[in-house]
Amino acid sequence: MKIEVLTLFPDMFDCMKSGVIGKALDCGKFSLNATDIREFSTDKHHKCDDYPFGGGAGMVMTPQPIFDAIKSVDPDRKCKRIFLSPKGVTLSQKVVLDLAGEDNLLFLCGHYEGIDQRVIDSEIDMELSIGDYVLTGGELACMVAINAVARYVDGVLGSSESTSEESFSNGLLEYPQYTRPQTYNGMSVPDVLLSGNHQNISKWRHAQQVEVTKKRRPDLIKEDKC
Ligand code: ADE
């Protein structure tokens, strides 16, 4: 998978170079290229924002640098083009899996009070939000989306970090995990996990998943999962 990001703050994406995602980038499992929109501004001061027509608070990102930046990184419109915005579709596991099926993604990060609507109308395929709150820009939202999507790219996670038994993988939240020592500060690991009986362990884990999901996220529970 190839990921292009357009942003006024490309350095923010340096933090993607660490951890599991950084290792996958080093190994070429997917590529991530953050491009500075400002480089495309034809304004003599490389300005990328201006006052909103009609008045109102704040500044709006101007269309020219964004149109030119998009044309430069995705000239043949191969990418699914996503604009990060609180007005977008909310990121969910379903959206993550859909995006993980794409070969080329382009994320556009906005700032100030937003971007000129003509960019969205003519260049963007999807607006994406990471939740009902407002950030100062799209970069953090973009990194959240990339991190969640990259986990489903072949070879990004090692076998020890599989996605098969985590929260949402079967529509339920994850069961509790324990490791050594068996007793810590008087708190013991549930006996069933020490029993070696894999059928009982599976049953216990499923029951735990149902319990925690009912308690915390009843909206996720469908009758056939219980
Ligand atoms: N930009 C500002 N707030 C955002 C949010 N909640 N999701 C995505 N992009 C944003």
Side-chain angles (χ1 to χ4, degrees):
M1 175 186 281
K2 287 188 178 161
I3 301 179
E4 296 287 348
V5 176
L6 297 178
T7 169
L8 290 171
F9 299 97
D11 293 351
M12 283 181 76
F13 289 81
D14 286 351
C15 74
M16 307 281 305
K17 291 178 186 156
S18 47
V20 171
I21 301 295
K23 204 166 139 196
L25 284 169
D26 282 345
C27 300
K29 302 294 179 196
F30 73 105
S31 69
L32 174 60
N33 182 36
T35 299
D36 189 349
I37 295 168
R38 199 173 295 282
E39 284 174 9
F40 292 86
S41 173
T42 52
D43 175 81
K44 64 173 183 274
H45 302 297
H46 296 286
K47 223 169 84 113
C48 288
D49 62 325
D50 212 330
Y51 294 98
F53 278 124
M59 303 291 268
V60 175
M61 284 176 73
T62 52
Q64 177 275 315
I66 307 178
F67 269 97
D68 288 355
I70 292 176
K71 200 179 290 167
S72 164
V73 301
D74 185 26
D76 305 322
R77 209 163 183 148
K78 276 193 192 153
C79 295
K80 169 125 184 161
R81 298 173 174 182
I82 299 154
F83 174 56
L84 284 309
S85 156
K87 286 198 273 185
V89 173
T90 307
L91 188 66
S92 64
Q93 193 66 359
K94 161 137 191 0
V95 174
V96 166
L97 291 172
D98 284 350
L99 295 180
E102 300 283 339
D103 291 329
N104 299 280
L105 296 174
L106 184 158
F107 290 97
L108 172 63
C109 305
H111 255 267
Y112 314 115
E113 290 308 306
I115 70 174
D116 190 290
Q117 185 63 32
R118 289 165 290 188
V119 174
I120 298 171
D121 292 345
S122 70
E123 302 298 318
I124 294 299
D125 299 315
M126 173 189 196
E127 289 185 69
L128 184 64
S129 165
I130 61 162
D132 291 344
Y133 41 83
V134 181
L135 304 166
T136 56
E139 284 77 9
L140 289 172
C142 180
M143 286 188 258
V144 167
I146 292 173
N147 184 293
V149 169
R151 297 177 70 250
Y152 290 90
V153 172
D154 273 354
V156 167
L157 296 187
S159 54
S160 61
E161 301 136 341
S162 139
T163 55
S164 65
E165 287 197 22
E166 62 188 11
S167 289
F168 308 113
S169 60
N170 61 355
L172 297 170
L173 300 180
E174 197 186 2
Y175 49 77
Q177 298 274 21
Y178 298 88
T179 185
R180 284 187 289 191
Q182 203 171 309
T183 303
Y184 185 76
N185 281 353
M187 296 175 281
S188 298
V189 170
D191 286 340
V192 64
L193 298 178
L194 312 170
S195 68
N197 183 327
H198 294 293
Q199 209 176 342
N200 285 352
I201 292 172
S202 283
K203 263 197 223 155
W204 179 85
R205 284 179 165 166
H206 186 257
Q208 291 286 317
Q209 285 194 285
V210 171
E211 191 181 317
V212 71
T213 310
K214 269 186 179 162
K215 201 185 287 176
R216 296 190 191 171
R217 292 293 306 277
D219 56 303
L220 295 176
I221 292 275
K222 292 200 191 95
E223 289 312 311
D224 60 357
K225 291 221 171 70
C226 315

